[in-house]
């Protein structure tokens, strides 16, 4: 059974090849296979090969330039994406990375988190310490004037560690003030960088010009025109001999 299946497949392949050959060399079995028409078949095949070779060469040239154009476009999209991200970060820097922590307090570069419930901007933030008999008490006043009382058990937090953390808050808040003072300048610089990235099409334009030049060269290529003329003559000769005009 398997041998029979392979035989059927082989017959199908042979039939397809014969049909294709007759399509390429129309006019019946004689023109397609007889030795009488062998010179005409060779001439037609040679003309087709020359034209195909020229077309393939032109295709490779155009494809190489088109790949360069795609690469340039992708590179500019990456620059634009990076510039857009930089602008978003300049407009909304968020809390920033963690600078330090003490108990449920987490100090970020631009904010102080109190557990999972509250985040206070460092702008205008003030922290005082009051030491009780069993706890250290942090008195945190935000820019809105609201006061938060945060007790820290002495059994869990040494006094030196509490003072060091409050000092870290104060220093980070000063750095945040400097950061905020330059916020508008950073936003403007990020917008300018984005506009520059969006408008920087010099490489793409140069490659497009090269692609247009190559396209025109191919259209005016004398070898291409000669190959077309040879194929046209070979096809016409075949028609004169067989009465059938073959496909290109």
């Amino acid at each position: 059974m398997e041998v029979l299946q392979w035989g059927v497949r082989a017959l199908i392949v042979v039939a397809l090849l014969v049909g294709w050959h007759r399509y390429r060399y129309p006019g019946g079995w004689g023109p397609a296979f007889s030795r009488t028409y062998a010179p005409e078949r060779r001439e037609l095949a040679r003309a087709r090969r020359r034209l195909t070779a020229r077309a393939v060469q032109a295709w490779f040239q155009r494809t190489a330039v088109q790949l360069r154009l795609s690469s340039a476009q992708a590179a500019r999209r990456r620059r634009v994406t990076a510039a857009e991200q930089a602008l978003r970060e300049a407009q909304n820097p968020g809390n920033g990375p963690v600078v330090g922590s003490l108990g449920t307090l987490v100090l970020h570069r631009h904010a102080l988190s109190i557990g999972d419930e509250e985040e206070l901007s460092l702008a205008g933030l003030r922290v005082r310490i009051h030491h009780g008999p069993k706890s250290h008490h942090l008195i945190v006043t935000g820019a809105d004037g609201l006061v938060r009382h945060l007790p820290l058990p002495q059994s869990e937090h040494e006094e030196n560690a509490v003072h060091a953390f409050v000092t870290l808050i104060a220093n980070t808040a000063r750095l945040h003030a400097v950061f905020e003072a330059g916020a508008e300048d950073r936003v403007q610089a990020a917008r300018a960088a984005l506009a520059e990235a969006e408008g920087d099409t010099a490489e793409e334009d140069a490659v497009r010009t090269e692609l247009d030049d190559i396209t025109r060269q191919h259209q005016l290529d004398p070898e291409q025109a000669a190959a077309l003329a040879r194929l046209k003559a070979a096809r016409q000769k075949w028609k004169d001999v067989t009465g059938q005009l073959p496909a290109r």
Side-chain angles (χ1 to χ4, degrees):
M1 181 62 71
E2 185 176 350
V3 173
L4 179 60
Q5 289 177 345
W6 278 106
V8 171
R9 292 172 183 170
L11 288 175
I12 292 174
V13 171
V14 170
L16 290 174
L17 291 175
V18 170
W20 174 249
H21 193 76
R22 290 194 61 182
Y23 168 75
R24 297 288 280 170
Y25 302 98
W29 286 92
F33 296 100
S34 172
R35 291 184 178 179
T36 304
Y37 297 90
E40 287 79 8
R41 285 198 301 271
R42 285 195 297 270
E43 183 178 355
L44 184 57
R46 187 162 49 247
R48 284 168 171 166
R49 284 196 301 270
R50 288 175 178 174
L51 183 61
T52 299
R54 198 62 190 170
V56 169
Q57 181 181 1
W59 180 85
F60 273 112
Q61 289 178 338
R62 286 196 304 270
T63 300
V65 179
Q66 287 168 344
L67 288 174
R68 286 170 49 206
L69 177 58
S70 297
S71 177
Q73 291 172 330
R76 187 169 69 91
R77 284 195 296 270
R78 288 193 296 270
R79 293 195 300 272
V80 170
T81 299
E84 289 173 341
Q85 179 62 28
L87 177 58
R88 286 192 294 270
E89 292 177 355
Q91 292 172 327
N92 182 21
N95 291 341
V98 174
V99 177
S101 62
L102 183 69
T104 60
L105 301 176
V106 179
L107 177 62
H108 298 265
R109 185 169 294 173
H110 306 301
L112 177 65
S113 299
I114 304 174
D116 297 328
E117 302 175 356
E118 192 172 13
E119 291 181 352
L120 301 176
S121 172
L122 295 185
L125 188 73
R126 291 177 289 115
V127 182
R128 294 184 294 109
I129 306 175
H130 172 69
H131 298 289
K134 295 183 179 181
S135 298
H136 310 291
H137 301 273
L138 297 188
I139 311 302
V140 180
T141 305
D144 55 6
L146 295 179
V147 179
R148 285 83 171 171
H149 171 225
L150 306 174
L152 299 171
Q154 292 181 4
S155 59
E156 299 178 13
H157 304 283
E158 295 182 354
E159 182 177 344
N160 288 341
V162 174
H163 278 281
F165 188 68
V166 170
T167 300
L168 182 60
I169 293 174
N171 290 333
T172 305
R174 290 190 183 94
L175 292 175
H176 174 74
V178 175
F179 179 84
E180 284 290 292
E184 186 58 30
D185 290 340
R186 285 193 302 277
V187 170
Q188 293 301 325
R191 284 175 177 160
L194 175 57
E196 180 180 358
E198 290 175 336
D200 184 13
T201 61
E203 184 176 0
E204 296 171 49
D205 294 340
V207 178
R208 283 195 186 95
T209 299
E210 183 178 351
L211 183 60
D212 291 341
D213 291 342
I214 288 177
T215 301
R216 283 193 295 271
Q217 290 172 8
H218 291 163
Q219 292 171 345
L220 302 174
D221 182 11
E223 293 188 23
Q224 174 86 357
L228 280 170
R230 282 192 293 267
L231 179 56
K232 182 178 180 180
R235 292 173 67 216
Q236 184 60 48
K237 183 176 180 181
W238 184 271
K239 182 180 180 181
D240 294 341
V241 172
T242 67
Q244 298 289 327
L245 183 66
R248 286 180 57 180

